[in-house]
Amino acid sequence: MGLPNASEDLSSEMEVDAFRRLFPLRYFERHLTESIRPDARPLRKARDTTIALGAVASADGSALAKIGSTTMLAAIKMEVMTPSLESPDEGCIAIDFHMPPICSPIVRPGRPAEVAPVLSKQLSDTITSSGMINLKELSLVSGKAAWMAYLDIYCLDADGALFDAALLSAVASFSHLQIPVVSLDYDGKIVIMSEEQKEENSETKPVNKEKRKLTLSTIPFSLTCILHKSYILADPTAEEESIMETLVTVVLDSSGQLVSLYKPGGSVLVYTSAVQDCVALTRQRVKELQNILDDAISGMEID
């Protein structure tokens, strides 16, 4: 007796799926009129977010960040460099964003994703302009040695809001970062010391005697929104981004100050009221993300 109903349900599902594929914008707009999205989220609600610190044991700092299905793995490797003449008391940060073919069907093997260098630059500009890291903390010996922090971010699943997840993984990895122990040898060169070398070698002069963490001042967080007609959709999926092209990304620091605002194209003019609404949504999101990061740090300290 239950078979006809099951058959009807299956047929109905197939019709909905076909309509979604053939007329994606109309399909989404039907949901928007009901103030709901196909994944059952309210229009202005972000997806579930998690952070796992210490995801890469061989790195000096690392984190795995997930926003919905979008997944980013960030890892930091510290290397000693000679500082520039213009900034003899400062270290440097180099950021590379990678999109391997496994992250999305649109990324082809052997062809670098066009968005990767754009996101690398955007992340570098955001972290620098936010003032999160005092580069003087990366100095070892004035004019002679300083730290270069190489931050690599790998996109493992690209399901929308890539910048938000990448920035979250970056700040989480810097929160987890432990700067290695270094010493001066007889020639005046900086030597990175392992735990065994630190205990055995008494012939070098320690620059820092134990691993230390960076002092992070104001931490930047971001929220990407889609503007479509009179609607604002927070934290879009890749499908939503492909259908409704006008994106606005707001970056605020942990004190609520505006760091940057990005609008990478799209056909919709951004009115002041829409920007204000996006900023208000980002303020709420910053509080959520700060709590998630604090919980991850607390969990690491307990472990």
Side-chain angles (χ1 to χ4, degrees), residues 204-225:
T204 57
K205 180 181 178 182
V207 176
N208 58 306
K209 294 183 178 180
E210 57 185 22
K211 291 184 177 182
R212 62 182 179 87
K213 300 183 77 66
L214 279 179
T215 302
L216 304 183
S217 50
T218 53
I219 298 177
F221 297 103
S222 65
L223 178 66
T224 296
C225 298

Side-chain angles (χ1 to χ4, degrees), residues 65-254:
K66 294 188 69 174
I67 299 179
S69 294
T70 300
T71 307
M72 299 287 171
L73 177 65
I76 301 171
K77 198 67 178 176
M78 304 296 287
E79 298 286 347
V80 177
M81 66 160 196
T82 302
S84 65
L85 294 175
E86 295 79 16
S87 305
D89 297 317
E90 293 183 356
C92 289
I93 298 170
I95 299 175
D96 274 320
F97 180 79
H98 309 270
M99 291 189 70
I102 60 168
C103 76
S104 169
I106 65 173
V107 180
R108 308 298 297 172
R111 298 179 184 178
E114 293 181 3
V115 72
V118 176
L119 280 175
S120 294
K121 179 69 164 59
Q122 192 176 345
L123 288 162
S124 182
D125 291 345
T126 298
I127 290 175
T128 301
S129 60
S130 69
M132 178 179 75
I133 297 171
N134 180 2
L135 295 179
K136 291 186 182 297
E137 276 201 54
L138 298 177
S139 178
L140 290 168
V141 179
S142 180
K144 293 184 178 181
W147 286 113
M148 168 70 86
Y150 290 97
L151 170 61
D152 287 287
I153 302 172
Y154 293 88
C155 180
L156 304 182
D157 192 335
D159 189 24
L162 301 188
F163 176 79
D164 298 346
L167 180 61
L168 182 60
S169 70
V171 300
S173 62
F174 275 114
S175 298
H176 176 253
L177 173 64
Q178 288 191 317
I179 297 178
V181 175
V182 292
S183 296
L184 280 172
D185 65 13
Y186 281 126
D187 298 325
K189 295 180 180 179
I190 293 290
V191 180
I192 299 177
M193 307 289 289
S194 66
E195 289 297 322
E196 294 78 10
Q197 289 174 321
K198 185 175 67 172
E199 293 175 3
E200 296 173 0
N201 199 337
S202 59
E203 298 178 353
T204 57
K205 180 181 178 182
V207 176
N208 58 306
K209 294 183 178 180
E210 57 185 22
K211 291 184 177 182
R212 62 182 179 87
K213 300 183 77 66
L214 279 179
T215 302
L216 304 183
S217 50
T218 53
I219 298 177
F221 297 103
S222 65
L223 178 66
T224 296
C225 298
I226 280 182
L227 305 183
H228 182 71
K229 296 182 178 180
S230 61
Y231 302 106
I232 297 177
L233 286 73
D235 181 27
T237 63
E239 184 181 17
E240 290 170 339
E241 288 181 352
S242 68
I243 296 167
M244 299 170 279
E245 296 177 348
T246 302
L247 299 177
V248 173
T249 298
V250 179
V251 183
L252 301 177
D253 64 26
S254 47

Side-chain angles (χ1 to χ4, degrees), residues 42-56:
L43 303 188
R44 302 190 175 192
K45 181 176 175 58
R47 294 169 289 178
D48 291 341
T49 303
T50 60
I51 297 173
L53 300 179
V56 182

